[in-house]
Amino acid sequence: MNVTELRPGNYFMDEGNLFQVMDILLNKTAMRKMVAKVKVKNLRTGAITEISRNSGYDVSPVFLEKKTMSYLYDDGRALVFMDQNTFEQVEIDKSKLTWEINFLKEGTEITILFYNEEILGIELPIKVTLQITDCEPAVRGDTINKTMKAATVETGYVLKVPLFIDNGEMIVVRTDTGEYDGRAN
């Protein structure tokens, strides 16, 4: 596959590394060949970088297997997930999921990405519902600006929420940014 045919969300292999395309910019000037600037995420390390390749450069498309599994528990060094149909259990080292662990509670359905039996990572739902376990009391007075206060959710993650949110409430949190999205129904 030519590098200019890549689109966001595609997976490919280049120089022994597995990448996911985050964004692509094609740049063509009158004096030179088209250059593809591809913002990619390395699926093994999680690093996001930008690579530039000329239009004649070929990459190998990769097809990943995706399995829906439920989060069971944290055993101290790894997180354990289970396939609800086959009851197969998979362990993923906690160091690979430093961001994702903030949004995982028991029973959360996630998608695990596999490449030839190698576990590359997990895909969280876009939004998750979590319970507030600790938050600062509301401070009256500053109502002109959109005032926020710190709150801790059941997973231990700390985020900013509006003043009207109290302990024990269920809120919706975006997993891509980690921001408050609204009250849960």
Side-chain angles (χ1 to χ4, degrees), residues 107-171:
T108 304
E109 293 258 321
I110 53 96
T111 302
I112 297 184
L113 299 173
F114 291 90
Y115 176 68
N116 294 342
E117 302 299 319
E118 176 188 359
I119 298 171
L120 297 173
I122 67 172
E123 287 181 355
L124 292 168
I126 308 269
K127 299 175 183 178
V128 292
T129 302
L130 299 170
Q131 184 174 16
I132 300 283
T133 56
D134 182 48
C135 69
E136 301 170 356
V139 178
R140 292 202 175 270
D142 187 8
T143 55
I144 297 171
N145 299 325
K146 184 179 176 186
T147 347
M148 305 290 264
K149 63 182 180 179
T152 306
V153 293
E154 60 191 294
T155 61
Y157 180 65
V158 178
L159 71 155
K160 295 285 187 184
V161 296
L163 291 177
F164 56 82
I165 299 294
D166 291 322
N167 280 339
E169 282 195 57
M170 300 296 283
I171 62 167

Side-chain angles (χ1 to χ4, degrees), residues 1-7 9-14 21 24 53-63:
M1 167 187 263
N2 193 298
V3 72
T4 58
E5 297 171 18
L6 292 173
R7 298 293 172 256
N10 288 153
Y11 300 102
F12 70 96
M13 186 170 279
D14 185 36
V21 178
I24 184 165
R53 302 285 189 258
N54 287 333
S55 63
Y57 192 82
D58 287 335
V59 294
S60 303
V62 171
F63 299 98

Side-chain angles (χ1 to χ4, degrees), residues 3-4 6 21-27 32 34-40 49-54:
V3 72
T4 58
L6 292 173
V21 178
M22 308 297 280
D23 196 19
I24 184 165
L25 177 68
L26 302 175
N27 189 0
R32 59 188 276 205
M34 183 180 299
V35 174
K37 289 187 179 183
V38 188
K39 183 178 178 182
V40 294
T49 55
E50 189 174 282
I51 57 174
S52 294
R53 302 285 189 258
N54 287 333

